[in-house]
């Protein structure tokens, strides 16, 4: 009995912490999130899951994207990094209301992260954005609050008046900086379906803090249910459905740069906000961990080459089988120089990709959404990412961002919202010229039935061969048995073989897939349980016809 009592006491006070294995076979270390020592030398973030891949990669969650080498064993094809096309009707939202001006008269109508989502239950595109608050906070300089707009097509937006401040579309009057309005598709309490992580200025000392609020409709918000300690102004939040954790992306000063990020996570957003605070750059904090600094490949401003680039902000969201990361990459100059020279600071949006939600690869530092430094451009400078994007609209992805014009009123003003579109899964493609090339996957496990690809095959062809664990072609699934995909451009193409219409005879076996491609681009592949091709992946900000749970299911 004494031995049993000692065992029970030990299990109570020193519980065993099991390592979490993710949907893709990656096992997280027991110390999570990881702790990295800061460095004065700029370098890219480590990617442990690429150095030590799982022996077998499960592909049961989402479309499998070629955004890194995680899925690839061998290839002689070349990756191509694509960028979205700006909508010709930009900007889609302009500051045109008196209540969108600051006290100084600067015009603001654009998300500062905030949120743009497609609400499947409501049947609308929905936008929350930062606006100048000069009509309410009349005695304070550069004050902002939160407004709301909605759309039937994602292109034409209406500023719908609400009852918070009658006659306006204002939905929250607290003086703020950045904010994130997150559609919690997993919420069990309808009153908490929308979560509002607002970076508000405390009246007592004018310091910034997170304030968490809830809403059933995204319009009427609760009082703050949790508040943080002091934080940096351009701090945001996101949800990682793969780990079931809420994450805070906090602005920080690190040894390598004053524009760096720290990280905190927790399953309960109220607890998370309550423990958040700005840490010393050399602190080993229990809750808030150093995350990353700008690396040695950041783009410099050709007119201000002396400026050391920084990361102005970082947002993230789950898309299919990966986490997308949006870097607001800052190249300068500082505000005082911008004011003197009459220009906007240069922030462009670049992309990163993560398989574990913490380590992000950046295969290219070239802008994903770039500024347009021509007279009259809505996005001459200071572009900022938006929470919730991309939205999935048919075969396209919708990306939004804020941008700022050159203005004669004051240098840092006239902020509006623009749209850009990209092919679904269209971030990176494996490209083949006229001569046939190949991509051989790592060992894969699956529980689906139908193999689909997203590919653009021009005058060439695409064939898929299924190999066993030893790399030998499986009878009935060889290259010569495959029905050729040729002269076709499809974001969801079913692959079959002459006498095999699906992979059901291979259930329970580990396989490799070998893709043979000429004159074309391969964007993704996946194995679905359904002939419809639903991927079981995450649908980011949602879209028309998609499931309101935020997962691509039949």
């Amino acid at each position: 009995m004494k031995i049993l009592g000692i065992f029970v006491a030990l299990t109570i006070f020193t519980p065993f912490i099991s390592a979490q294995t993710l949907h893709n076979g990656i096992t997280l270390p027991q110390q999570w999130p990881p702790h990295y020592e800061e460095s004065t030398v700029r370098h890219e973030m480590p990617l442990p899951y690429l150095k030590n891949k799982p022996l077998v990669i499960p592909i049961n969650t989402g479309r499998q994207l070629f955004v890194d080498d995680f899925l690839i064993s061998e290839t002689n094809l070349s990756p191509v990094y694509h960028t979205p096309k700006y909508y010709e009707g930009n900007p889609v939202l302009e500051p045109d209301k008196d209540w969108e001006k600051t006290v100084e008269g600067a015009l603001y109508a654009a998300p500062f992260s905030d949120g743009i989502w497609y609400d499947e239950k409501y049947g609308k595109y929905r936008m929350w954005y930062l606006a100048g608050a000069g009509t309410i906070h009349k005695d304070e300089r550069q004050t902002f609050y939160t407004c709301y707009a909605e759309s039937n097509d994602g292109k034409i937006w209406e500023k719908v008046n609400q009852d918070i401040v009658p006659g306006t579309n204002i939905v929250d009057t607290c003086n703020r900086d950045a904010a994130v309005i997150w559609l919690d598709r997993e919420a069990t309490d309808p009153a908490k379906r929308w979560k509002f992580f607002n970076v508000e200025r405390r009246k007592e000392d004018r310091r910034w803090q997170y304030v968490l609020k809830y809403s059933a409709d995204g319009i009427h918000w609760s009082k703050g249910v949790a508040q943080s300690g002091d934080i940096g102004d351009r701090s945001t939040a996101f949800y990682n459905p793969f780990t079931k954790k809420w994450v805070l992306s906090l602005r920080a000063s690190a040894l390598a740069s004053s524009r760096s990020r720290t990280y905190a996570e927790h399953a309960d957003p109220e607890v998370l906000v309550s423990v958040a605070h700005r840490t010393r750059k050399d602190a080993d904090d229990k809750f808030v961990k150093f995350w990353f600094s700008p690396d040695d490949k950041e783009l410099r401003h050709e007119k201000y080459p002396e400026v050391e680039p920084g990361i102005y902000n970082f947002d993230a969201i789950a898309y299919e089988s990966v986490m997308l990361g949006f870097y607001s990459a800052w190249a300068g100059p500082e505000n005082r120089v911008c004011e003197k020279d009459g220009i906007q600071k240069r922030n462009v949006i670049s992309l990163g990709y993560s398989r574990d939600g913490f380590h992000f690869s950046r295969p290219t530092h070239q802008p994903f959404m770039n500024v347009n430094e021509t007279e009259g451009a809505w996005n001459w400078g200071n572009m900022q990412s938006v929470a919730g994007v991309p939205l999935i609209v048919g075969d396209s992805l919708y990306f939004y961002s804020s941008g700022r014009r050159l203005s004669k009123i004051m240098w840092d003003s006239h902020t509006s919202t623009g749209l850009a579109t990209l092919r679904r899964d269209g971030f990176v493609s494996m490209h083949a010229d006229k001569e046939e090339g190949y991509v051989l996957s790592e060992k894969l496990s699956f529980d689906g039935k139908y193999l689909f690809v997203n590919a653009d095959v021009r005058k060439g062809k695409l064939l898929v061969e299924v190999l066993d664990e030893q790399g030998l072609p499986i009878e009935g699934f060889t290259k010569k048995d495959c029905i050729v995909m040729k002269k076709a451009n499809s974001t969801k193409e079913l692959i079959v073989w002459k006498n095999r219409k699906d992979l059901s005879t291979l259930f329970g076996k580990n396989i490799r897939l070998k893709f043979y491609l000429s004159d074309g681009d391969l964007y993704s592949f996946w194995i679905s349980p359904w002939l419809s091709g639903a991927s079981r992946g995450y649908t980011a900000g949602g879209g028309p016809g998609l499931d309101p749970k935020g997962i691509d299911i039949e």
Side-chain angles (χ1 to χ4, degrees), residues 7-221:
F7 177 76
V8 171
L10 287 173
T11 58
I12 291 173
F13 294 107
T14 56
F16 175 72
I17 302 173
S18 59
Q20 181 179 7
T21 298
L22 303 181
H23 64 290
N24 49 25
I26 295 171
T27 298
L28 303 182
Q30 289 189 8
Q31 185 188 55
W32 190 264
H35 173 66
Y36 290 113
E37 296 294 335
E38 295 180 36
S39 172
T40 57
V41 179
R42 295 183 175 214
H43 55 79
E44 292 187 87
M45 184 179 285
L47 298 168
Y49 55 76
L50 292 184
K51 290 186 176 181
N52 297 291
K53 299 181 186 180
L55 295 178
V56 179
I57 300 173
I59 56 169
N60 303 321
T61 301
R63 298 184 179 207
Q64 305 299 309
L65 309 177
F66 294 105
V67 294
D68 56 25
D69 294 332
F70 183 69
L71 298 160
I72 300 173
S73 174
E74 298 176 15
T75 186
N76 59 2
L77 302 184
S78 301
V80 177
Y81 306 100
H82 303 276
T83 57
K85 179 182 179 182
Y86 283 116
Y87 173 53
E88 293 180 354
N90 277 337
V92 296
L93 193 81
E94 280 267 57
D96 56 7
K97 304 295 184 183
D98 287 340
W99 59 84
E100 293 172 334
K101 298 178 182 178
T102 65
V103 172
E104 298 82 6
L107 307 169
Y108 285 84
F112 207 42
S113 287
D114 286 85
I116 298 180
W117 300 82
Y118 185 84
D119 189 343
E120 290 85 4
K121 290 186 177 181
Y122 193 53
K124 294 277 188 179
Y125 297 79
R126 309 185 69 184
M127 178 194 300
W128 291 259
Y129 65 93
L130 173 144
T135 56
I136 290 180
H137 298 281
K138 297 179 180 179
D139 299 327
E140 299 179 69
R141 181 180 179 276
Q142 284 284 302
T143 52
F144 304 96
Y145 45 29
T146 307
C147 290
Y148 171 79
E150 61 186 38
S151 173
N152 291 320
D153 62 2
K155 298 176 179 177
I156 300 173
W157 292 84
E158 179 184 1
K159 298 176 181 179
V160 183
N161 287 348
Q162 306 297 331
D163 58 2
I164 312 302
V165 180
T168 76
N169 64 331
I170 300 167
V171 294
D172 187 87
T173 59
C174 291
N175 184 12
R176 52 158 286 197
D177 187 74
V180 166
I181 292 87
W182 198 272
L183 174 52
D184 183 1
R185 301 179 185 275
E186 298 180 13
T188 56
D189 183 349
K192 299 179 180 180
R193 184 168 182 255
W194 293 95
K195 292 177 170 56
F196 188 2
F197 298 83
N198 204 22
V199 178
E200 297 182 7
R201 191 187 290 280
R202 288 195 300 260
K203 292 182 179 180
E204 299 81 12
D205 55 14
R206 294 184 59 80
R207 294 180 181 272
W208 298 110
Q209 67 173 163
Y210 282 116
V211 177
L212 175 63
K213 307 172 189 180
Y214 296 133
S215 175
D217 61 6
I219 303 297
H220 302 90
W221 295 96

Side-chain angles (χ1 to χ4, degrees), residues 366-383:
Q366 293 303 310
F368 182 70
M369 300 178 75
N370 205 355
V371 295
N372 177 11
E373 294 179 352
T374 59
E375 187 73 27
W378 69 273
N379 58 335
W380 195 97
N382 205 349
M383 296 184 67

Side-chain angles (χ1 to χ4, degrees), residues 76-78 430-439 459-461 479 515-521:
N76 59 2
L77 302 184
S78 301
M430 300 304 293
H431 175 75
D433 293 321
K434 294 181 180 179
E435 185 176 343
E436 183 180 82
Y438 72 93
V439 179
K459 295 182 180 180
K461 57 185 179 180
K479 178 181 178 182
F515 302 89
Y516 298 90
L517 178 65
S518 59
D519 193 17
D521 288 270

Side-chain angles (χ1 to χ4, degrees), residues 345-489:
K345 67 186 78 172
R346 182 183 292 176
N347 284 323
V348 301
I349 299 172
S350 62
L351 278 192
Y353 310 93
S354 179
R355 305 280 180 175
D356 65 9
F358 186 91
H359 303 93
F360 281 78
S361 67
R362 297 175 72 184
T364 175
H365 285 58
Q366 293 303 310
F368 182 70
M369 300 178 75
N370 205 355
V371 295
N372 177 11
E373 294 179 352
T374 59
E375 187 73 27
W378 69 273
N379 58 335
W380 195 97
N382 205 349
M383 296 184 67
Q384 299 286 336
S385 56
V386 177
V389 304
L391 311 187
I392 301 174
V393 185
D395 288 335
S396 297
L397 300 178
Y398 279 24
F399 295 89
Y400 297 88
S401 74
S402 69
R404 305 192 193 190
R405 300 176 186 269
L406 291 180
S407 174
K408 296 180 180 179
I409 299 175
M410 58 184 299
W411 73 270
D412 192 23
S413 67
H414 205 125
T415 303
S416 53
T417 309
L419 165 68
T421 61
L422 184 74
R423 177 194 185 96
R424 188 166 181 177
D425 307 341
F427 306 99
V428 184
S429 66
M430 300 304 293
H431 175 75
D433 293 321
K434 294 181 180 179
E435 185 176 343
E436 183 180 82
Y438 72 93
V439 179
L440 175 63
S441 78
E442 299 284 7
K443 293 179 185 178
L444 309 173
S445 66
F446 68 97
D447 63 6
K449 191 174 181 181
Y450 302 98
L451 176 63
F452 287 87
V453 297
N454 180 341
D456 179 8
V457 182
R458 291 172 282 278
K459 295 182 180 180
K461 57 185 179 180
L462 172 67
L463 303 100
V464 185
E465 187 168 57
V466 185
L467 312 178
D468 63 19
E469 288 192 80
Q470 287 69 45
L472 300 175
I474 299 174
E475 184 178 355
F477 296 94
T478 66
K479 178 181 178 182
K480 67 179 181 180
D481 293 317
C482 186
I483 302 301
V484 179
M485 178 183 177
K486 57 183 178 181
K487 294 184 179 180
N489 185 2

